[in-house]
PDB file of all heavy atoms in Angstrom:
ATOM      1  N   MET M  30     137.088  34.144 134.068  1.00 48.00           N
ATOM      2  CA  MET M  30     137.282  32.953 133.201  1.00 48.00           C
ATOM      3  C   MET M  30     135.966  32.341 132.733  1.00 48.00           C
ATOM      4  O   MET M  30     135.851  31.867 131.649  1.00 48.00           O
ATOM      5  CB  MET M  30     138.193  31.866 134.094  1.00 48.00           C
ATOM      6  CG  MET M  30     139.509  32.172 134.253  1.00 48.00           C
ATOM      7  SD  MET M  30     140.477  32.647 132.713  1.00 48.00           S
ATOM      8  CE  MET M  30     140.413  31.035 131.955  1.00 48.00           C
ATOM      9  N   GLU M  31     134.992  32.421 133.709  1.00 49.00           N
ATOM     10  CA  GLU M  31     133.612  31.924 133.358  1.00 49.00           C
ATOM     11  C   GLU M  31     133.081  32.732 132.168  1.00 49.00           C
ATOM     12  O   GLU M  31     132.546  32.245 131.251  1.00 49.00           O
ATOM     13  CB  GLU M  31     132.599  31.999 134.530  1.00 49.00           C
ATOM     14  CG  GLU M  31     131.307  31.524 134.133  1.00 49.00           C
ATOM     15  CD  GLU M  31     130.329  31.680 135.292  1.00 49.00           C
ATOM     16  OE1 GLU M  31     130.702  32.066 136.380  1.00 49.00           O
ATOM     17  OE2 GLU M  31     129.096  31.468 134.988  1.00 49.00           O
ATOM     18  N   ASN M  32     133.292  34.083 132.151  1.00 48.00           N
ATOM     19  CA  ASN M  32     132.819  34.948 130.981  1.00 48.00           C
ATOM     20  C   ASN M  32     133.544  34.620 129.722  1.00 48.00           C
ATOM     21  O   ASN M  32     132.955  34.467 128.744  1.00 48.00           O
ATOM     22  CB  ASN M  32     133.124  36.427 131.233  1.00 48.00           C
ATOM     23  CG  ASN M  32     132.134  36.916 132.394  1.00 48.00           C
ATOM     24  OD1 ASN M  32     131.229  36.266 132.812  1.00 48.00           O
ATOM     25  ND2 ASN M  32     132.493  38.047 132.950  1.00 48.00           N
ATOM     26  N   VAL M  33     134.905  34.335 129.781  1.00 45.00           N
ATOM     27  CA  VAL M  33     135.639  33.984 128.620  1.00 45.00           C
ATOM     28  C   VAL M  33     135.111  32.665 128.132  1.00 45.00           C
ATOM     29  O   VAL M  33     134.861  32.544 126.842  1.00 45.00           O
ATOM     30  CB  VAL M  33     137.078  33.924 128.944  1.00 45.00           C
ATOM     31  CG1 VAL M  33     137.911  33.266 127.827  1.00 45.00           C
ATOM     32  CG2 VAL M  33     137.651  35.364 129.269  1.00 45.00           C
ATOM     33  N   TYR M  34     134.844  31.682 128.992  1.00 44.00           N
ATOM     34  CA  TYR M  34     134.410  30.428 128.650  1.00 44.00           C
ATOM     35  C   TYR M  34     133.015  30.516 127.937  1.00 44.00           C
ATOM     36  O   TYR M  34     132.689  29.859 126.949  1.00 44.00           O
ATOM     37  CB  TYR M  34     134.301  29.453 129.861  1.00 44.00           C
ATOM     38  CG  TYR M  34     133.653  28.156 129.561  1.00 44.00           C
ATOM     39  CD1 TYR M  34     134.372  27.142 128.816  1.00 44.00           C
ATOM     40  CD2 TYR M  34     132.359  27.868 129.921  1.00 44.00           C
ATOM     41  CE1 TYR M  34     133.748  25.855 128.618  1.00 44.00           C
ATOM     42  CE2 TYR M  34     131.780  26.582 129.685  1.00 44.00           C
ATOM     43  CZ  TYR M  34     132.532  25.729 129.004  1.00 44.00           C
ATOM     44  OH  TYR M  34     131.943  24.481 128.718  1.00 44.00           O
ATOM     45  N   LEU M  35     132.127  31.373 128.415  1.00 44.00           N
ATOM     46  CA  LEU M  35     130.778  31.519 127.866  1.00 44.00           C
ATOM     47  C   LEU M  35     130.899  32.063 126.486  1.00 44.00           C
ATOM     48  O   LEU M  35     130.143  31.589 125.588  1.00 44.00           O
ATOM     49  CB  LEU M  35     129.959  32.388 128.692  1.00 44.00           C
ATOM     50  CG  LEU M  35     129.479  31.931 130.105  1.00 44.00           C
ATOM     51  CD1 LEU M  35     128.774  33.128 130.898  1.00 44.00           C
ATOM     52  CD2 LEU M  35     128.510  30.772 129.909  1.00 44.00           C
ATOM     53  N   PHE M  36     131.739  32.979 126.248  1.00 45.00           N
ATOM     54  CA  PHE M  36     131.814  33.542 124.958  1.00 45.00           C
ATOM     55  C   PHE M  36     132.573  32.644 123.940  1.00 45.00           C
ATOM     56  O   PHE M  36     132.222  32.539 122.783  1.00 45.00           O
ATOM     57  CB  PHE M  36     132.550  34.972 124.956  1.00 45.00           C
ATOM     58  CG  PHE M  36     131.630  36.101 125.553  1.00 45.00           C
ATOM     59  CD1 PHE M  36     132.110  36.653 126.723  1.00 45.00           C
ATOM     60  CD2 PHE M  36     130.515  36.350 124.997  1.00 45.00           C
ATOM     61  CE1 PHE M  36     131.349  37.630 127.327  1.00 45.00           C
ATOM     62  CE2 PHE M  36     129.649  37.344 125.626  1.00 45.00           C
ATOM     63  CZ  PHE M  36     130.176  37.918 126.700  1.00 45.00           C
ATOM     64  N   VAL M  37     133.560  31.973 124.393  1.00 42.00           N
ATOM     65  CA  VAL M  37     134.263  31.008 123.506  1.00 42.00           C
ATOM     66  C   VAL M  37     133.358  29.860 123.077  1.00 42.00           C
ATOM     67  O   VAL M  37     133.278  29.381 121.984  1.00 42.00           O
ATOM     68  CB  VAL M  37     135.572  30.535 124.192  1.00 42.00           C
ATOM     69  CG1 VAL M  37     136.124  29.417 123.330  1.00 42.00           C
ATOM     70  CG2 VAL M  37     136.563  31.665 124.363  1.00 42.00           C
ATOM     71  N   MET M  38     132.677  29.258 124.042  1.00 48.00           N
ATOM     72  CA  MET M  38     131.801  28.137 123.787  1.00 48.00           C
ATOM     73  C   MET M  38     130.447  28.559 123.072  1.00 48.00           C
ATOM     74  O   MET M  38     129.749  27.713 122.700  1.00 48.00           O
ATOM     75  CB  MET M  38     131.566  27.415 125.133  1.00 48.00           C
ATOM     76  CG  MET M  38     132.704  26.882 125.780  1.00 48.00           C
ATOM     77  SD  MET M  38     133.712  25.875 124.620  1.00 48.00           S
ATOM     78  CE  MET M  38     132.673  24.422 124.484  1.00 48.00           C
ATOM     79  N   ASP M  39     130.188  29.873 123.027  1.00 49.00           N
ATOM     80  CA  ASP M  39     128.984  30.395 122.418  1.00 49.00           C
ATOM     81  C   ASP M  39     127.802  29.827 123.058  1.00 49.00           C
ATOM     82  O   ASP M  39     126.811  29.512 122.484  1.00 49.00           O
ATOM     83  CB  ASP M  39     128.997  30.269 120.910  1.00 49.00           C
ATOM     84  CG  ASP M  39     127.963  31.072 120.213  1.00 49.00           C
ATOM     85  OD1 ASP M  39     127.724  32.200 120.685  1.00 49.00           O
ATOM     86  OD2 ASP M  39     127.435  30.695 119.200  1.00 49.00           O
ATOM     87  N   GLU M  40     127.820  29.688 124.373  1.00 60.00           N
ATOM     88  CA  GLU M  40     126.699  29.277 125.097  1.00 60.00           C
ATOM     89  C   GLU M  40     125.607  30.320 125.197  1.00 60.00           C
ATOM     90  O   GLU M  40     125.902  31.489 124.987  1.00 60.00           O
ATOM     91  CB  GLU M  40     127.015  28.878 126.547  1.00 60.00           C
ATOM     92  CG  GLU M  40     127.593  27.451 126.757  1.00 60.00           C
ATOM     93  CD  GLU M  40     127.755  27.148 128.229  1.00 60.00           C
ATOM     94  OE1 GLU M  40     126.956  27.590 128.992  1.00 60.00           O
ATOM     95  OE2 GLU M  40     128.733  26.510 128.507  1.00 60.00           O
ATOM     96  N   LYS M  41     124.409  30.004 125.638  1.00 77.00           N
ATOM     97  CA  LYS M  41     123.438  31.039 125.792  1.00 77.00           C
ATOM     98  C   LYS M  41     123.725  31.783 127.056  1.00 77.00           C
ATOM     99  O   LYS M  41     123.907  31.222 128.078  1.00 77.00           O
ATOM    100  CB  LYS M  41     122.058  30.406 125.877  1.00 77.00           C
ATOM    101  CG  LYS M  41     120.912  31.454 125.950  1.00 77.00           C
ATOM    102  CD  LYS M  41     119.528  30.722 126.286  1.00 77.00           C
ATOM    103  CE  LYS M  41     118.819  30.548 124.959  1.00 77.00           C
ATOM    104  NZ  LYS M  41     117.435  30.046 125.243  1.00 77.00           N
ATOM    105  N   VAL M  42     123.988  33.114 126.870  1.00 82.00           N
ATOM    106  CA  VAL M  42     124.380  34.018 128.020  1.00 82.00           C
ATOM    107  C   VAL M  42     123.172  34.837 128.310  1.00 82.00           C
ATOM    108  O   VAL M  42     122.443  35.287 127.430  1.00 82.00           O
ATOM    109  CB  VAL M  42     125.641  34.736 127.829  1.00 82.00           C
ATOM    110  CG1 VAL M  42     126.819  33.848 127.751  1.00 82.00           C
ATOM    111  CG2 VAL M  42     125.466  35.648 126.568  1.00 82.00           C
ATOM    112  N   TYR M  43     122.977  35.227 129.590  1.00 83.00           N
ATOM    113  CA  TYR M  43     121.856  35.978 130.089  1.00 83.00           C
ATOM    114  C   TYR M  43     122.413  37.262 130.731  1.00 83.00           C
ATOM    115  O   TYR M  43     123.573  37.226 131.301  1.00 83.00           O
ATOM    116  CB  TYR M  43     121.069  35.260 131.102  1.00 83.00           C
ATOM    117  CG  TYR M  43     120.348  34.011 130.576  1.00 83.00           C
ATOM    118  CD1 TYR M  43     121.041  32.765 130.415  1.00 83.00           C
ATOM    119  CD2 TYR M  43     119.054  34.063 130.178  1.00 83.00           C
ATOM    120  CE1 TYR M  43     120.449  31.692 129.936  1.00 83.00           C
ATOM    121  CE2 TYR M  43     118.454  32.956 129.747  1.00 83.00           C
ATOM    122  CZ  TYR M  43     119.040  31.819 129.602  1.00 83.00           C
ATOM    123  OH  TYR M  43     118.413  30.725 129.128  1.00 83.00           O
TER     124      TYR M  43
END
Side-chain angles (χ1 to χ4, degrees):
M30 291 305 294
E31 180 182 352
N32 290 345
V33 170
Y34 175 75
L35 290 173
F36 288 117
V37 169
M38 298 305 291
D39 196 30
E40 274 189 37
K41 186 187 259 188
V42 294
Y43 294 83

